[in-house]
């Protein structure tokens, strides 16, 4: 089955491709002729994922899915949440986002957080939602060079390594995106 993944993020594409394997042929936005940034103006992760999937479906008519992910820190009342990619600036500046998060967490004892991914799927005009969550803590400093975004700061529950210190395979086994995409893949296999 061919399915459009509504992203231009090479890191996300690679992660998702590893999870779905060769069960599905992932088509990128560029391959569909969509080169513009898709607006992410909704107040929730689910809203953004649905908005992106609807955008792609309305322009291509192809089955598609989109995701939105947020890092939700308990001590910051769920921040950065839906604004995770644009936490420090309106652009996608991972370094500035990590610096701001560390500043806001300075001296905070409760470092509990979760990564949460919402995936919206549109197949033959019908919409479906899937969610993946992984609990953990925010490290006091960056560790590791792998992954992207907040990965060097996130220690998943029960682990001693940040996402950035793990292999891509190990991260995908437990990650929020991996969990959500596995639910998506299982659902598609049953159609």
């Amino acid at each position: 089955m061919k399915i459009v993944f509504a992203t231009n993020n090479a890191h996300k594409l690679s992660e998702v491709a590893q999870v779905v394997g060769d069960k599905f042929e992932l088509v990128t936005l560029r391959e569909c002729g969509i080169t513009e940034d898709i607006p992410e103006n909704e107040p929730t992760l689910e809203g953004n994922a649905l908005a992106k999937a609807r955008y792609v479906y309305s322009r291509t008519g192809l089955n598609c899915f989109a995701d939105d992910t947020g890092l939700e820190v308990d001590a910051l009342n769920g921040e950065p949440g839906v604004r995770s990619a644009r936490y420090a600036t309106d652009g996608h500046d991972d370094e500035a986002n990590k610096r701001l998060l560390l500043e806001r967490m300075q001296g905070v004892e409760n470092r509990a957080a979760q990564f949460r991914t919402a995936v919206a799927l549109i197949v033959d005009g019908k919409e479906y939602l899937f969610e993946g969550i992984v609990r953990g803590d925010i490290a006091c400093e960056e560790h590791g060079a792998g992954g992207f975004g907040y990965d060097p700061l996130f220690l998943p529950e029960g682990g001693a390594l940040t996402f950035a210190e793990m292999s891509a395979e190990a991260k995908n086994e437990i990650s929020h995106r991996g969990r959500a995409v596995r639910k998506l893949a299982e659902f598609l296999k049953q159609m």
Side-chain angles (χ1 to χ4, degrees):
M1 172 191 257
K2 277 188 180 183
I3 191 161
V4 180
F5 180 24
T7 189
N8 281 318
N9 182 320
H11 296 292
K12 278 187 186 182
L13 188 61
S14 174
E15 281 186 8
V16 168
Q18 285 181 344
V19 174
V20 300
D22 57 5
K23 297 176 190 107
F24 306 98
E25 182 185 338
L26 291 182
V27 179
T28 67
L29 289 175
R30 281 189 182 84
E31 290 170 327
C32 295
I34 298 174
T35 56
E36 65 271 22
D37 283 337
I38 300 173
E40 294 182 58
N41 301 320
E42 299 300 319
T44 66
L45 299 174
E46 294 82 2
N48 277 337
L50 277 167
K52 290 188 282 188
R54 288 171 181 156
Y55 185 95
V56 172
Y57 190 77
S58 72
R59 279 158 182 74
T60 67
L62 300 172
N63 294 335
C64 62
F65 68 97
D67 80 311
D68 198 23
T69 294
L71 175 65
E72 301 168 336
V73 180
D74 294 2
L76 300 178
N77 298 315
E79 281 187 16
V82 73
R83 296 220 13 102
S84 291
R86 296 167 302 282
Y87 192 42
T89 68
D90 282 337
H92 294 265
D93 186 338
D94 288 348
E95 295 308 312
N97 290 337
K98 290 183 288 188
R99 274 193 309 274
L100 180 59
L101 179 61
L102 286 175
E103 277 175 33
R104 294 202 171 150
M105 291 299 289
Q106 206 163 13
V108 175
E109 283 187 40
N110 174 11
R111 303 189 76 80
Q114 68 182 20
F115 262 124
R116 189 165 67 88
T117 293
V119 173
L121 168 69
I122 300 179
V123 175
D124 299 329
K126 293 184 181 163
E127 298 178 352
Y128 307 89
L129 279 171
F130 305 91
E131 181 181 67
I133 296 174
V134 63
R135 294 286 302 166
D137 292 292
I138 302 301
C140 293
E141 59 187 32
E142 292 186 47
H143 296 279
F148 64 102
Y150 298 96
D151 285 358
L153 295 174
F154 189 78
L155 290 157
E157 239 173 29
L161 301 175
T162 66
F163 273 169
E165 293 174 297
M166 296 178 175
S167 69
E169 294 79 19
K171 178 187 170 190
N172 281 334
E173 279 297 312
I174 63 167
S175 81
H176 46 294
R177 186 171 294 106
R179 290 175 178 180
V181 170
R182 276 191 292 281
K183 289 177 186 177
L184 165 81
E186 285 302 313
F187 179 81
L188 287 171
K189 279 193 277 185
Q190 295 170 15
M191 291 191 89

